[in-house]
Amino acid sequence: MNKITNHMPTAELQAIDAAHHMHPFTANHELAAKGARVITRASGVTLTDSEGEQILDAMAGLWCVNIGYGRDELAEVAARQMKELPYYNTFFMSTHVPAIALAQKLAELAPGDLNHVFFASGGSEANDTNIRMVRRYWDQMGKPNKHVIISRKNAYHGTSVGSGSLGGMAGMHAQGGMPIPDIVHIGQPYWYLEGGDMSPEDFGLMRARELEAKIEELGEDRVAAFIAEPIQGAGGVIIPPDSYWPEIKRICAAHDILLIADEVITGFGRTGEWFGSQYYDIQPDIMTVAKGLSSGYAPIGASLVSDKVAKVIDSGEFAHGYTYSGHPVAAAVALENLRIMEEEKIVDHVQNEAAPYLAEKWHSLADHPFVGETTIVGMMASLALTADKSVRKPFKAPAGTVGYKTRERCFANNLIMRHVGDRMIVAPPLVMQKSDIDTLYERAVKSLDEAYKNVKDAGLMETAD
């Protein structure tokens, strides 16, 4: 058996990594020169690297380790399932117990009539499923021209060609021929930098009504669906004004457009409700889930489908699926994860204890001279870095310059806090205790202090014209 805990020296691990491992979203030649940080163990909310440093993971991995690290129950369930049935597919009129049980459990937990589950290995695959599903739905409804899917700029829906096209990330679209045809984008509800002199409420309505304008421009007979995250996660934890989602719901209903809620990040307790759709009363036709479904312990995702859509899709063959759709080990791990969340009342812990305390600490960061605004829902929060607290303007330096410098100070202080442009974001494990939040806050303040000094010393404390 390979020895993982008793590992070779860090420099050797970094050299092998640089020689053979191509990292996602990384300029690998730059990383090779710097050397990757090698994570070797984790427990609760804390990571340990190959040098023995203890790191507070305020991003829950990639928004996913909701129940925290080191839960032996999930490892034991995975081992038991591997011994009993390590793999079988759900093609060819076959099924297995873990997929059956997990589909039933998701139908029980999901809001509204989302009673049907199409499994995938992650959010990107599930959103690719959604592209095909909504187009197949309208084909079967006798409206084959309803093919266009509307999304938002700065949205994140995955990185495959299909899901990456649904997303509105300009940097991704610059590579690989995206977006594919019949996917279009409207503005995001980002009041802080894009709201100008409008009130948040008026801005939220304006951005929602861009959907109606786009439908009218394209023709209602051509538009199949609108997809959006309840709260934009990778886009910077962009929390929409309260006026936004009610208007989006009205527009979709008025124009016979399917509504897809991408809950890969907001699902499974992140907002203080089981789903962000409950937080905002969205009532989607399809919901995308992944990440927190297994707390990242096994790769799994799914599309949760309404009775209305499933009835049409199920009336004929849907020529779509994945080798690992409903993988028995991943499904068993997800079931155990959901059992723990329910029995330990983790969503209640978020709503009543962790999130209110995190909000208190997080909003106090607004007093820092480097911070323009703080926003938070549940256990996902962001702050805007600023050169001038009196105005809502970006830095003169290219977007992300200041954010990156701040992230580097966070990492140096053993805090995983991510930057998106010049916003700093956190989405910690849902099981965080008050003492963990105190540590997060202390390290965040220290990092902001150091970054503020560095940015001033570098002459970057200037706003754009």
Side-chain angles (χ1 to χ4, degrees):
M1 182 180 293
N2 291 329
K3 296 291 186 181
I4 296 174
T5 302
N6 299 324
H7 55 77
M8 62 184 69
T10 299
E12 290 183 42
L13 290 167
Q14 290 172 329
I16 296 169
D17 185 76
H20 303 293
H21 183 192
M22 299 174 72
H23 290 251
F25 284 93
T26 299
N28 281 280
H29 69 289
E30 293 179 6
L31 180 61
K34 183 178 181 180
R37 194 167 200 173
V38 182
I39 306 301
T40 56
R41 296 187 303 281
S43 179
V45 301
T46 303
L47 307 169
T48 303
D49 71 10
S50 55
E51 296 296 295
E53 292 288 335
Q54 302 285 301
I55 308 157
L56 182 70
D57 183 8
M59 284 305 304
L62 273 177
W63 319 80
C64 55
V65 189
N66 288 5
I67 66 168
Y69 296 96
R71 295 299 301 246
D72 289 345
E73 303 96 318
L74 272 67
E76 290 160 5
V77 161
R80 185 164 64 245
Q81 186 60 49
M82 282 186 177
K83 291 177 181 178
E84 187 172 298
L85 179 69
Y87 173 76
Y88 199 67
N89 66 75
T90 53
F91 291 50
F92 314 127
M93 300 185 182
S94 297
T95 190
H96 48 72
V97 173
I100 295 168
L102 182 57
Q104 180 185 41
K105 188 63 186 178
L106 287 170
E108 174 191 319
L109 289 173
D113 66 346
L114 298 169
N115 293 315
H116 312 268
V117 182
F118 196 105
F119 286 112
S121 296
S124 292
E125 280 189 358
N127 277 325
D128 276 11
T129 295
N130 295 339
I131 295 172
R132 297 206 50 204
M133 188 175 288
V134 299
R135 289 174 173 175
R136 177 61 175 157
Y137 172 84
W138 290 114
D139 285 346
Q140 290 177 281
M141 290 290 286
K143 298 181 179 181
N145 291 329
K146 280 178 84 73
H147 227 236
V148 178
I149 301 173
I150 301 174
S151 182
R152 303 185 297 198
K153 297 172 184 175
N154 198 36
Y156 187 90
H157 297 297
T159 60
S160 61
V161 172
S163 63
S165 295
L166 286 178
M169 299 282 184
M172 289 173 59
H173 287 182
Q175 302 176 9
M178 295 186 285
I180 59 176
D182 289 337
I183 294 177
V184 299
H185 299 83
I186 59 174
Q188 61 178 334
Y190 184 13
W191 174 79
Y192 181 77
L193 277 190
E194 299 180 8
D197 294 331
M198 300 179 74
S199 69
E201 292 74 20
D202 287 345
F203 177 73
L205 287 174
M206 185 270 286
R207 278 290 152 92
R209 288 169 184 165
E210 286 186 21
L211 173 60
E212 195 157 44
K214 184 60 70 173
I215 293 167
E216 291 169 357
E217 174 193 329
L218 297 167
E220 184 178 311
D221 61 332
R222 292 190 59 218
V223 180
F226 174 66
I227 184 170
E229 306 151 88
I231 295 168
Q232 286 162 256
V237 186
I238 306 302
I239 298 170
D242 291 342
S243 57
Y244 182 79
W245 272 112
E247 187 69 356
I248 289 289
K249 282 175 56 183
R250 179 195 69 78
I251 291 165
C252 288
H255 294 279
D256 199 19
I257 305 302
L258 296 178
L259 177 54
I260 306 169
D262 185 334
E263 297 245 22
V264 169
I265 287 173
T266 54
F268 305 104
R270 178 63 55 193
T271 65
E273 301 284 351
W274 271 97
F275 298 98
S277 290
Q278 293 165 312
Y279 185 87
Y280 286 111
D281 188 27
I282 293 173
Q283 301 170 12
D285 297 290
I286 300 173
M287 180 190 291
T288 317
V289 297
K291 293 189 185 291
L293 173 55
S294 69
S295 283
Y297 280 63
I300 188 168
S303 300
L304 309 188
V305 184
S306 69
D307 291 343
K308 177 181 82 171
V309 174
K311 181 179 179 181
V312 174
I313 295 296
D314 289 347
S315 66
E317 180 182 355
F318 182 36
H320 178 75
Y322 305 105
T323 300
Y324 300 120
S325 290
H327 190 287
V329 176
V333 169
L335 272 168
E336 182 65 7
N337 174 65
L338 296 177
R339 181 197 67 77
I340 289 170
M341 289 196 68
E342 285 192 305
E343 291 191 6
E344 297 184 4
K345 295 182 169 53
I346 288 174
V347 178
D348 289 345
H349 168 73
V350 170
Q351 189 175 101
N352 299 320
E353 297 181 42
Y357 191 65
L358 178 61
E360 176 188 331
K361 291 292 189 179
W362 193 257
H363 285 312
S364 72
L365 295 174
D367 295 332
H368 196 283
F370 203 26
V371 176
E373 76 156 358
T374 54
T375 60
I376 184 169
V377 167
M379 297 293 278
M380 54 191 308
S382 72
L383 59 83
L385 301 173
T386 185
D388 184 349
K389 291 171 73 75
S390 69
V391 295
R392 301 193 326 269
K393 287 186 176 182
F395 287 88
K396 186 175 183 179
T401 303
V402 173
Y404 179 79
K405 287 181 174 291
T406 306
R407 189 199 73 173
E408 290 297 280
R409 295 320 307 155
C410 293
F411 283 16
N413 291 318
N414 287 340
L415 172 65
I416 304 295
M417 182 158 70
R418 182 171 162 183
H419 82 107
V420 175
D422 296 315
R423 295 190 76 87
M424 305 304 299
I425 61 176
V426 296
L430 306 186
V431 294
M432 262 200 165
Q433 302 300 308
K434 288 184 177 180
S435 59
D436 302 316
I437 294 169
D438 287 339
T439 301
L440 190 164
Y441 173 77
E442 290 160 7
R443 294 182 186 179
V445 170
K446 185 172 190 287
S447 301
L448 287 169
D449 287 345
E450 292 171 0
Y452 182 52
K453 180 180 185 304
N454 290 350
V455 169
K456 283 199 297 184
D457 290 348
L460 295 173
M461 287 294 287
E462 295 183 70
T463 58
D465 296 332

